[in-house]
Amino acid sequence: MSLAVADVTPAPQTRLLVLQGTPFCNIDCSYCYLPGRNSKARMAIDTVRAAARRLREDGLAGSELTVCWHAGEPLVLPIAFYEDAIGAVAEALGTATLVTHAVQTNATLIDDAWCRFLRRHGVSVGVSVDGPASLHDRHRRGRDGRPTHAAVERGMRLLRAHGVPLHAIAVVTRATLAAPDAFFDWFVDAGVHEVGCNFDETEGRHRRSSLGGHEEEHAAFLRRLLERSLASGGRLVVRELAAAWSRVSAALPSWHHAGRDWPDNAQVMPLALITVAANGDFGTFSPEFIGQQHPRFGSFAIGNVHHQGYREALRGEAFARLWAGVYAGMQACARGCAYFAHCGGGSPVNKLYETGRLDSAETLYCRSMLQRPFDAVLAGVERELAAEALR
Ligand code: SF4
């Protein structure tokens, strides 16, 4: 099922370009889904340049673009690599696109030189940290098996001392569900303003989530975080609850394809997210497809920036196979899910790894990341309205 760009309105525009500077990671988390994290391959600057140039040539670069360095630990590469890479992206895209670079880092390699670099270039920094050491060190260990929490705290202190803003992303496991207050307090004490709560998803080589069978505890965990966040006056914002608030209060914008409007969800919109692997292979839809291998979809690559453009790849067989599944998955969601107008069809990578199919609908992922946060916020709003009515 190929797709002509003319079939989509508004015309596709890339919001997020994920560049895998290297698949290598210096630590060894137990829930990691990246199969290539032992590989020390590094993206060539020519590949960085081609990835950005193709966006401009294909008319996919709008007025703003986030370039996220991810899918491995980005700070294992030297600062000089990023100096060159940021220059190459700027040169390829010109001044019409405002580019924000972002890194998602385990923060264990942060030093003064990194802080100065990150600040100088206004890089958005996301730190992967699971809260207090008792939760974090259960899973986030070094390649020598030692805990990493102390090194992460040190990195975060340095970032703060240099005035580098950061947000955090935590992986919520079954153990976290029993400790919402300790979790919340740790982030407040660490001076973090926003935390994203991913859960240990079933993905790639990580085949079983500890949240399975514990969804009511997860709902209680979210309710408690909502109470604490509201009571703190927004001192710590929980990303999923903030996103749920905007979904409850306003409908998602829409895009048009195949004679109907669809709610805006970048993970199912061709080319809204593009991921480029260290060797130049690129894919679209969920960024977590990068580096995976699948009996039906191979490496999930739909092209390579050295051989063809992104739009041209939409005419290829690799894209056609993926799009047929992703589109059927959107249709399945649209037919049967009460949350569809607020979600737009979820996350293809989670559908595939949880159900074995892209053309499926509900998953543990969407119940955890969309439905339960939505319900928690909606119930909170309804309680407030009821209390207001009684006053
Ligand atoms: S919440 Fe789940 S089932 Fe509903 S639209 Fe989203 S992905 Fe589909």
Side-chain angles (χ1 to χ4, degrees):
M1 188 181 182
S2 65
L3 178 97
V5 167
D7 293 345
V8 173
T9 46
Q13 204 151 79
T14 302
R15 304 165 190 185
L16 176 67
L17 176 66
V18 178
L19 296 181
Q20 182 185 46
T22 176
F24 185 73
C25 184
N26 61 319
I27 68 170
D28 191 25
C29 301
S30 62
Y31 44 54
C32 182
Y33 61 88
L34 286 171
R37 62 212 167 100
N38 293 326
S39 162
K40 294 197 173 173
R42 180 203 282 208
M43 186 175 271
I45 294 300
D46 271 356
T47 308
V48 177
R49 190 175 291 111
R53 178 174 51 79
R54 297 280 190 191
L55 281 184
R56 182 175 47 77
E57 289 171 352
D58 281 354
L60 293 167
S63 56
E64 291 182 19
L65 172 73
T66 299
V67 174
C68 181
W69 298 90
H70 189 30
E73 169 50 44
L75 303 199
V76 300
L77 296 181
I79 289 173
F81 169 83
Y82 290 102
E83 293 282 10
D84 291 347
I86 287 174
V89 170
E91 192 186 303
L93 286 176
T95 51
T97 301
L98 178 64
V99 178
T100 302
H101 287 268
V103 290
Q104 185 61 39
T105 174
N106 61 42
T108 57
L109 301 171
I110 297 273
D111 61 12
D112 289 318
W114 272 114
C115 291
R116 285 192 290 271
F117 166 82
L118 295 166
R119 196 177 156 149
R120 187 163 66 248
H121 289 283
V123 176
S124 167
V125 178
V127 172
S128 302
V129 56
D130 292 353
S134 57
L135 295 173
H136 178 102
D137 286 335
R138 281 170 181 250
H139 303 282
R140 302 190 67 83
R141 294 202 164 240
R143 286 178 171 264
D144 57 4
R146 293 206 190 140
T148 59
H149 195 263
V152 177
E153 280 195 316
R154 188 181 152 278
M156 291 173 74
R157 273 197 302 275
L158 275 175
L159 288 166
R160 271 203 312 278
H162 282 266
V164 180
L166 64 90
H167 60 275
I169 295 184
V171 175
V172 169
T173 65
R174 189 181 161 195
T176 321
L177 304 182
D181 289 309
F183 179 83
F184 190 93
D185 290 337
W186 187 87
F187 285 103
V188 170
D189 292 347
V192 172
H193 176 61
E194 184 190 301
V195 59
C197 290
N198 293 347
F199 71 105
D200 63 330
E201 303 161 36
T202 304
E203 221 162 67
R205 61 187 275 282
H206 183 55
R207 299 198 181 277
R208 211 163 140 261
S209 167
S210 65
L211 250 61
H214 300 278
E215 297 188 58
E216 187 38 52
E217 289 144 79
H218 184 238
F221 175 78
L222 287 173
R223 285 194 296 272
R224 183 63 183 152
L225 291 188
L226 180 61
E227 280 170 16
R228 293 291 313 270
S229 184
L230 291 173
S232 77
R235 197 160 155 210
L236 178 64
V237 172
V238 178
R239 182 190 59 187
E240 288 65 36
L241 296 171
W245 171 252
S246 59
R247 287 170 206 243
V248 165
S249 47
L252 287 177
S254 61
W255 61 295
H256 194 82
H257 169 62
R260 63 164 289 182
D261 288 333
W262 302 90
D264 183 297
N265 171 349
Q267 284 205 57
V268 297
M269 297 164 70
L271 304 183
L273 307 179
I274 292 176
T275 309
V276 183
N279 67 356
D281 282 355
F282 64 82
T284 186
F285 307 121
S286 307
E288 295 84 357
F289 281 134
I290 193 170
Q292 305 295 336
Q293 279 295 332
H294 189 273
R296 177 159 162 68
F297 299 107
S299 69
F300 296 94
I302 61 170
N304 185 292
V305 292
H306 294 294
H307 306 308
Q308 77 247 79
Y310 302 119
R311 284 186 182 227
E312 186 188 338
L314 300 188
R315 296 197 290 273
E317 271 185 32
F319 175 79
R321 267 194 303 276
L322 275 172
W323 177 234
V326 170
Y327 185 53
M330 281 164 57
Q331 291 174 306
C333 285
R335 277 194 301 274
C337 179
Y339 298 83
F340 183 68
H342 309 278
C343 167
S347 162
V349 73
N350 296 91
K351 290 183 178 188
L352 185 64
Y353 282 106
E354 282 192 39
T355 71
R357 310 181 61 99
L358 282 171
D359 58 359
S360 53
E362 190 176 284
T363 55
L364 175 62
Y365 173 87
C366 76
R367 290 196 299 277
S368 303
M369 299 298 280
L370 186 118
Q371 296 184 10
R372 280 195 291 275
F374 189 93
D375 291 348
V377 167
L378 193 57
V381 170
E382 284 169 353
R383 270 196 307 277
E384 274 302 305
L385 289 175
E388 187 79 14
L390 292 172
R391 279 202 276 271

